[in-house]
Amino acid sequence: MTTNTVKTILISGGTSGVGLEAAKEFLEKGHRVIIFGRDMQKAKEELASRENTTGRASFLEGDLSTHAGVRDAAQRVLAAHDRLDAILHTTGVLIFKDIRTVDGLNLLFTINYLNRYHLTQLLLPALRKSPSPCVVLMIAKVNPETKVDFTQFPRYPSFSFAVSPQVNVSNLHYASFLARAESTIRTAVVHPGSVGTGIFRLAPGYMKIATAILGRFIFNSVQEAAHNPVHAVLEDDWKSATYWPKVGDFNQRTPISLDQAETQRIIDVFESTDGYVRTS
């Protein structure tokens, strides 16, 4: 059931691709959006041209690849917004080599999982003030039975692209953890399919050429990709800790059921990591 209540929705990575499409759809339905990302120009231009959005879209520019950047983002959001009704995490990067952040962590791991965990935890005070809050995490499709290699996690000193499934399944573990820790916050993980967006900006040249040529045959449209994330934010007839593995089909969903001991082990790693803030 779709609620008629006007929601305030933070979109992490909302400056392009699925995040920007979701912002457009939320605004068309009368909601307020806070768009966070690194380059606001495209988002500002596209949203400025839409009717009846004045005053309902705000923009926060920053870098979520670092500990300091995440803390700064959370502080600015909380300073401007007492309550959040939803967080939609659409940030993502695709890399095939070991790129490290200033904190010494792999960029794919940091962008596709770690900043989501940390930012959400820091914004819990605002989410708790909503009558029906939710957190939606967008990931590449993953087998929920994928195991995390704790001999490598979370530093991944011998990184390879094979780490990607572990990064994606970590989102499922966080959704499961948050659903138990915060009974009023519904959590969802959504696979948006393959979309020809800025996620390929760090891919090898041959892949960029291939996607440019074959994109219309292999990619989902951005509207298809945004369908389930948007519905998960706006509808309230689904249970917390739900996974949507199929693009564009909101009715095909599955409960997230994981080994709770492994979930807690993943969370404990971050709660003891230098640079991250323990929250309650």
Side-chain angles (χ1 to χ4, degrees):
M1 179 182 297
T2 303
T3 177
N4 293 322
T5 303
V6 175
K7 294 178 177 287
T8 299
I9 305 160
L10 172 66
I11 306 174
S12 170
T15 57
S16 63
V18 179
L20 182 55
E21 175 62 26
K24 294 175 183 177
E25 296 188 28
F26 292 143
L27 289 169
E28 287 176 357
K29 297 179 185 299
H31 301 285
R32 293 183 291 266
V33 298
I34 309 157
I35 297 176
F36 194 94
R38 297 191 65 173
D39 185 358
M40 292 293 162
Q41 191 59 37
K42 178 181 179 180
K44 288 181 177 179
E45 290 175 355
E46 292 208 23
L47 296 182
S49 65
R50 307 183 79 82
E51 297 180 359
N52 303 319
T53 62
T54 303
R56 290 191 291 108
S58 58
F59 303 87
L60 289 174
E61 190 163 343
D63 182 5
L64 292 179
S65 70
T66 69
H67 299 341
V70 172
R71 290 195 295 270
D72 176 67
Q75 289 169 0
R76 286 191 284 154
V77 170
L78 292 174
H81 301 276
D82 182 62
R83 187 188 91 183
L84 289 176
D85 298 294
I87 301 176
L88 172 58
H89 289 287
T90 68
T91 51
V93 66
L94 181 66
I95 60 174
F96 294 84
K97 59 183 179 179
D98 192 6
I99 300 174
R100 295 280 156 173
T101 70
V102 297
D103 300 308
L105 297 169
N106 179 267
L107 184 64
L108 185 147
F109 172 70
T110 302
I111 295 296
N112 293 21
Y113 170 68
L114 190 54
N115 77 62
R116 300 170 172 197
Y117 160 81
H118 193 212
L119 183 61
T120 301
Q121 290 296 111
L122 292 175
L123 294 177
L124 286 178
L127 285 167
R128 290 170 181 150
K129 293 181 180 180
S130 171
S132 182
C134 70
V135 174
V136 179
L137 305 110
M138 208 170 71
I139 67 167
K141 192 171 184 179
V142 66
N143 182 346
E145 295 183 3
T146 299
K147 297 299 181 183
V148 171
D149 181 359
F150 286 100
T151 67
Q152 299 287 311
F153 181 84
R155 295 286 175 180
Y156 292 110
S158 56
F159 174 82
S160 72
F161 189 68
V163 165
S164 184
Q166 295 185 43
V167 173
N168 290 325
V169 83
S170 294
N171 285 270
L172 294 177
H173 280 285
Y174 180 53
S176 176
F177 164 79
L178 189 59
R180 294 197 308 273
E182 300 285 334
S183 61
T184 66
I185 300 176
R186 288 176 301 127
T187 63
V189 179
V190 181
H191 166 52
S194 299
V195 189
T197 66
I199 196 171
F200 289 95
R201 67 186 180 277
L202 297 178
Y206 70 87
M207 181 171 289
K208 292 179 181 178
I209 294 171
T211 56
I213 296 172
L214 301 174
R216 65 192 183 95
F217 301 106
I218 62 176
F219 289 143
N220 303 107
S221 71
V222 70
Q223 291 79 17
E224 288 176 317
H227 181 270
N228 283 349
V230 167
H231 279 261
V233 168
L234 297 183
E235 298 191 11
D236 57 12
D237 60 348
W238 53 271
K239 294 182 178 180
S240 192
T242 292
Y243 177 40
W244 278 267
K246 187 173 181 180
V247 182
D249 186 350
F250 193 68
N251 292 321
Q252 183 168 323
R253 64 188 79 164
T254 181
I256 298 173
S257 180
L258 300 167
D259 181 344
Q260 292 189 20
E262 183 165 349
T263 296
Q264 191 58 53
R265 187 176 180 185
I266 290 171
I267 299 302
D268 288 344
V269 168
F270 298 123
E271 289 295 313
S272 60
T273 298
D274 290 342
Y276 276 73
V277 178
R278 183 177 293 278
T279 56
S280 60

